[in-house]
Amino acid sequence: MSKQWVFSGQKIIKDSLQALEPFLGQPLCFQHGKWAVYLAQDSQELTPLKAITQQYQLDLAKTDSQQSLTDFKLLAMDMDSTLISIECVDEIADYCGKKAEVSAITEATMRGEITDFNESLRRRVALLAGLEATVLEKVYAERLQLNPGAANLIKAAHLAGLKTLLVSGGFSFFTDRIQARLNLSYSRSNTLEIIDGKLTGKLLGPIVNAQIKRETVQTLSHELGINTDKVMAIGDGANDLEMMSVAGISIAYHAKPAVAAKAKQVIEFGGLDTVLHWFEDGRDFLC
């Protein structure tokens, strides 16, 4: 199967195409301000291409030219800082004046510096004890936004016949609403304990950690009768690496360096629908 370079970004313009021409020649196809596709050959060096992507803030993927979006059967996604633009636990903590403390734990965990996710999450949730549960609705209504391209990617995935899974170390209050909003096929996450209208600082049931994320993808794949090489998995933090490791395509989205280093594809600048640029039928969904 032949390979191709796919460059994506708003600066797919005359200047960037001219910068690429000495190394790659003319593109096989391109759409101004969106993508450019070139034939990939083993003799081509990656270093100058990477320099151009940084100069023009383009994302670069090397893909199989014959591979289609419809070849995949399941799209698995993390929620916080992947499908949505915030870390929900940090925003909840803002309502009790503890955002800085909670955010520091979140960042260290996502970078992989705190390796015990269960303990990290319990520590953060404990700091929320006593908050009115109405704060959750405020975070959802006032602060939570989908990341750019999220709706386009999910719509295209559904049209291409993929099932969609939101699997999160975050909270069911948010995943349930996003699942309904985007008509996602499945979701799994953690449940905050609420008693008398207040957060207790505890969680109900097993914690959805990296291992549970991986097992969820594997179990669902088995139920759907597919191999995990038919799965696309997208995440941004260390907690996503396990599920990404079993997927046919692992995608690091605006991710921590440790995650980007292990992913098959990386989206550094663009939106989630950059994924669609990598497939001919995916690009059709954007036209």
Side-chain angles (χ1 to χ4, degrees):
M1 189 176 289
S2 62
K3 299 288 185 178
Q4 60 186 12
W5 296 113
V6 182
F7 294 82
S8 302
Q10 294 181 354
K11 292 186 179 179
I12 296 292
I13 55 176
K14 181 179 179 180
D15 288 351
S16 59
L17 295 178
Q18 287 179 339
L20 290 167
E21 187 173 348
F23 305 100
L24 300 177
Q26 294 295 317
L28 300 174
C29 63
F30 75 95
Q31 183 163 339
H32 186 84
K34 291 191 176 180
W35 66 76
V37 181
Y38 295 82
L39 178 66
Q41 299 177 353
D42 293 339
S43 60
Q44 293 163 341
E45 292 188 18
L46 184 59
T47 300
L49 303 184
K50 285 286 191 180
I52 293 169
T53 62
Q54 291 299 310
Q55 179 182 354
Y56 290 97
Q57 295 189 327
L58 304 176
D59 288 306
L60 173 60
K62 191 175 188 179
T63 66
D64 294 325
S65 60
Q66 301 302 312
Q67 195 168 55
S68 300
L69 182 62
T70 53
D71 291 336
F72 295 89
K73 304 304 176 186
L74 177 64
L75 172 63
M77 301 162 286
D78 173 50
M79 179 176 70
D80 296 78
S81 296
T82 299
L83 190 62
I84 65 174
S85 62
I86 63 171
E87 292 286 338
C88 291
V89 67
D90 297 356
E91 300 306 318
I92 297 168
D94 197 23
Y95 284 88
C96 59
K98 297 179 181 178
K99 182 175 182 178
E101 184 177 356
V102 169
S103 294
I105 300 171
T106 300
E107 281 295 309
T109 303
M110 293 301 99
R111 288 193 300 265
E113 296 166 5
I114 297 177
T115 57
D116 188 337
F117 179 83
N118 290 14
E119 181 58 27
S120 163
L121 186 60
R122 289 192 189 101
R123 282 172 58 192
R124 286 175 285 166
V125 171
L127 292 169
L128 309 179
L131 267 177
E132 296 287 342
T134 53
V135 162
L136 302 178
E137 182 59 42
K138 289 182 180 179
V139 170
Y140 180 77
E142 299 173 9
R143 304 193 182 192
L144 186 151
Q145 292 185 341
L146 297 176
N147 267 326
N152 282 342
L153 173 61
I154 290 166
K155 180 180 179 181
H158 287 158
L159 289 171
L162 281 75
K163 299 294 185 182
T164 47
L165 166 67
L166 182 59
V167 57
S168 171
F171 307 127
S172 58
F173 181 91
F174 303 103
T175 57
D176 288 351
R177 284 158 176 76
I178 293 171
Q179 181 180 8
R181 178 175 171 180
L182 296 175
N183 195 31
L184 302 176
S185 310
Y186 311 95
S187 70
R188 184 171 184 183
S189 57
N190 299 300
T191 301
L192 291 164
E193 183 180 63
I194 299 172
I195 296 178
D196 295 330
K198 294 185 178 182
L199 303 184
T200 66
K202 297 179 181 179
L203 295 163
L204 299 175
I207 290 177
V208 178
N209 55 25
Q211 291 71 34
I212 296 296
K213 285 189 172 190
R214 182 194 68 231
E215 291 169 9
T216 300
V217 169
Q218 291 172 321
T219 299
L220 182 55
S221 296
H222 179 73
E223 291 174 357
L224 293 172
I226 63 171
N227 294 323
T228 55
D229 63 358
K230 300 298 184 184
V231 177
M232 275 186 204
I234 308 179
D236 74 293
N239 194 41
D240 301 313
L241 284 172
E242 289 284 336
M243 75 166 180
M244 291 167 65
S245 71
V246 300
I249 292 185
S250 57
I251 304 162
Y253 178 75
H254 293 223
K256 306 301 181 286
V259 179
K262 294 184 178 180
K264 183 173 182 180
Q265 305 290 4
V266 176
I267 300 173
E268 183 179 0
F269 301 110
L272 284 164
D273 54 357
T274 297
V275 172
L276 301 178
H277 299 175
W278 305 337
F279 310 100
E280 185 175 357
D281 58 343
R283 296 191 291 271
D284 290 342
F285 286 117
L286 292 170
C287 293

